[in-house]
Amino acid sequence: MSHPPPPHCPSADPRAEGARIFGVVRREEGRAPRVEYLDRPVAASGRVLALVSAAPPAAVFRATAPCAESRCGHFDGQHCRLGARVRTHLPSVADELPSCAIRASCRWFREQGAEVCRRCTFVVTETADRDAADGALRWIADPASPPGERPVSA
């Protein structure tokens, strides 16, 4: 009997050990950034990360890496609270599941199911300008934010 692969974080820092890039952040004026998924993940090598030297890699790429579990502020000992917040507090943007090369190992999908996938394109691991980032997105991403209702965006 085969076991599923160990869980991977779908919002890892591209500079993390073992990171693979599975999406690129697309920005269009007047629209929220969205992630466009690659057909297959690529290693987050120094050569690839150097392509975006003017911006933090996590503002340009979505990366996956082995889940850090207890070394991550979003992990509660059993589950990822970030995945739960994404599912609960972001709007669905897809009727059908987007094509995703990491779904089989994604911790968020394992814990939150398809509903988190319908929101995943909104997740940008880091914004180039944190002050301009949506207040609700900052609240969702901050492991120190209290549980409960998220603030309303301006």
Side-chain angles (χ1 to χ4, degrees), residues 118-144:
R118 290 184 172 93
R119 293 151 171 82
C120 196
T121 61
F122 273 133
V123 178
V124 176
T125 306
E126 183 174 326
T127 59
D129 181 358
R130 289 180 181 258
D131 293 335
D134 179 284
L137 291 176
R138 284 194 314 265
W139 178 87
I140 289 168
D142 184 353

Side-chain angles (χ1 to χ4, degrees), residues 7 14 19 25 74 78 82 90 93 105 109-111 126 133 138 147-148:
V25 178
H74 294 290
Q78 293 186 325
L82 180 56
L90 289 180
V93 293
S105 65
F109 177 71
R110 286 184 186 179
E111 294 178 358
E126 183 174 326
R138 284 194 314 265

